[in-house]
Amino acid sequence: MANVVVVGAQWGDEGKGKIVDWLSERADVIARFQGGHNAGHTLVIDGKVYKLNALPSGVVRGGKLSVIGNGVVLDPWHLVAEIAAIRQQGVDITPETLMIAENTPLILPIHGELDRAREEAASAGTKIGTTGRGIGPAYEDKVGRRSVRVADLADDATLQARVDRALQHHNPLRRGLGIAEVDRDALLAKLRAIAPEILSYAAPVWKVLNEKRKAGKRILFEGAQGALLDIDFGTYPFVTSSNVIAGQAATGVGLGPTAINYVLGIVKAYTTRVGEGPFPTELKDADGQRLGERGREFGTVTGRKRRCGWFDACLVRQTCATSGVKGIALTKLDVLDGFATLKICVGYDLDGRRLDYLPTAADQQARCTPIYEDMPGWSASTEGARSWADLPAEAVKYVRRIEELIECPVALLSTSPERDDTILVTDPFAD
């Protein structure tokens, strides 16, 4: 049986939630392998809208096991509130349907406070544009070996030791930023109160997933942000604080790389990003405004307006390479309906030199200007199309040209937020 990794192949917000939900019907286990509740998935199922941040998309599918892996940083209070909200929508979430890795690091209130204080103190041009939810500081503590992890909640002596070690680092930082030192006893009380609810979902995820794999169960690995926000291969420093690319899927749940059989890259038919950082094809004109309005480009988590631009084939080809993508799911094609002319970025001009990739150095990224190829648009609607025959000829040509430029075939084509408005070319689980 094939196991499939789903990664965003741009800056996120590509429509991963719908695709993961669509694929989860074929999966037995849906595992989240990185990120925090700074990312969001919006699922539309039978006209009902579900907004998820920390929970894997599979929770809305009955009979599936959803897993939060050790590669995630988890805000326990947010998770409990999110579970309650999704339950109110009629979704059954129990320890039999949701599992949290025991070695998952926790996001504490001190992480969000530090995150926001740093952003406020940052000088012009150095703000990252974080959500302020503490994801970066939580990952820092993980690497600094001062995290409180899920398993630590089960033993009070260990919990106190972990909190004390964290505060040895955080209190001096807070003093330097003009923030009051942490009330140790209050923090411990909050953790002790939330512990029973979190521990009810705790399990040795690495062991469970290895057993599931040996039993021939299908595992769907779900990432959060897009590959261009990867801490190593993204537009650093305007990135997230974890590895987003497909190789992280194995590490983020405790499986070996041989567990991955197919990597599906989610790609929007144009380009968007939230927050600061380089964006070569960004449009600050009427076309950019139109893409944002038609695509309802507002963040699921923050509500922030997304920056919009033409499709960048160079960036997607680059992320397909770094994640080993075998096929893409092309989403939001219907947003392009009605444009007389479409542009695709096929290269960059850097100080008179043509490049076919985005350079690593931040100053060079900022100086890259896009080289465009024009393509005719289409006037007919593609919204809700469920077969190639339903698409205008110009739309088909646009998709085929994207395949050529990114050197990767289209496996699925999404034509609306509804899960059934999907054209299947290759079933990743049958690969």
Side-chain angles (χ1 to χ4, degrees), residues 58-402:
V59 296
V60 299
R61 292 275 150 222
K64 312 291 181 180
L65 173 62
S66 289
V67 168
I68 296 174
N70 56 275
V72 172
V73 286
L74 182 68
D75 183 323
W77 299 277
H78 176 92
L79 180 68
V80 168
E82 188 174 327
I83 288 172
I86 298 300
R87 278 177 176 158
Q88 286 183 347
Q89 292 187 271
V91 177
D92 187 32
I93 300 176
T94 68
E96 285 68 48
T97 61
L98 176 66
M99 187 178 293
I100 304 171
E102 294 170 321
N103 51 340
T104 300
L106 299 181
I107 301 172
L108 307 180
I110 58 176
H111 294 130
E113 291 163 5
L114 178 59
D115 198 356
R116 294 185 292 274
R118 281 175 171 170
E119 281 288 277
E120 290 169 8
S123 57
T126 64
K127 291 183 186 293
I128 302 299
T130 76
T131 59
R133 295 193 167 195
I135 281 74
Y139 274 116
E140 290 177 44
D141 278 0
K142 174 182 178 177
V143 177
R145 294 165 292 188
R146 52 180 175 266
S147 284
V148 176
R149 304 197 297 179
V150 168
D152 299 331
L153 297 174
D155 180 76
D156 197 66
T158 301
L159 181 61
Q160 290 188 54
R162 295 285 187 267
V163 167
D164 286 343
R165 179 171 171 81
L167 296 190
Q168 286 171 0
H169 174 80
H170 280 269
N171 277 332
L173 276 179
R174 293 168 72 92
R175 287 196 296 270
L177 288 165
I179 312 172
E181 291 193 9
V182 179
D183 184 332
R184 174 186 182 271
D185 292 342
L187 176 57
L188 283 167
K190 287 190 71 173
L191 286 165
R192 289 169 183 140
I194 201 76
E197 293 184 79
I198 298 300
L199 288 171
S200 68
Y201 299 101
V205 158
W206 67 269
K207 185 175 186 296
V208 173
L209 291 190
N210 273 280
E211 289 169 353
K212 295 281 187 186
R213 184 184 170 218
K214 288 176 183 177
K217 301 297 183 183
R218 290 174 167 178
I219 303 172
L220 181 62
F221 300 92
E222 174 190 11
Q225 291 85 8
L228 289 168
L229 294 177
D230 185 272
I231 189 68
D232 288 310
F233 293 97
T235 48
Y236 190 92
F238 304 101
V239 292
T240 194
S241 299
S242 61
N243 285 111
V244 180
I245 59 176
Q248 174 64 20
T251 307
V253 297
L255 290 171
T258 54
I260 299 171
N261 305 106
Y262 191 100
V263 179
L264 180 70
I266 314 301
V267 179
K268 198 177 285 186
Y270 49 102
T271 312
T272 63
R273 84 170 295 175
V274 173
E276 305 299 323
F279 185 173
T281 66
E282 182 175 9
L283 296 170
K284 298 181 179 179
D285 57 10
D287 286 336
Q289 182 76 11
R290 183 177 177 184
L291 287 171
E293 290 173 356
R294 293 208 55 186
R296 300 186 185 93
E297 296 296 351
F298 297 91
T300 300
V301 173
T302 63
R304 287 186 293 181
K305 184 178 179 181
R306 297 178 187 132
R307 300 155 64 190
C308 298
W310 296 119
F311 186 83
D312 192 329
C314 292
L315 284 182
V316 174
R317 182 171 61 245
Q318 196 165 324
T319 57
C320 284
T322 56
S323 273
V325 174
K326 295 182 77 171
I328 68 165
L330 190 66
T331 67
K332 291 201 167 186
L333 183 67
D334 54 300
V335 174
L336 300 180
D337 292 354
F339 280 91
T341 302
L342 301 171
K343 293 179 182 292
I344 299 177
C345 177
V346 296
Y348 306 114
D349 182 287
L350 175 61
D351 305 332
R353 223 168 18 110
R354 180 166 177 150
L355 298 179
D356 62 356
Y357 67 98
L358 191 68
T360 300
D363 64 309
Q364 293 181 5
Q365 290 177 352
R367 297 201 306 276
C368 281
T369 58
I371 299 170
Y372 285 120
E373 177 180 298
D374 289 358
M375 293 202 69
W378 54 89
S379 56
S381 174
T382 62
E383 185 174 0
R386 297 185 181 182
S387 73
W388 289 106
D390 295 335
L391 297 175
E394 294 82 0
V396 174
K397 289 176 183 176
Y398 181 78
V399 174
R400 294 305 184 205
R401 184 58 179 147
I402 283 175

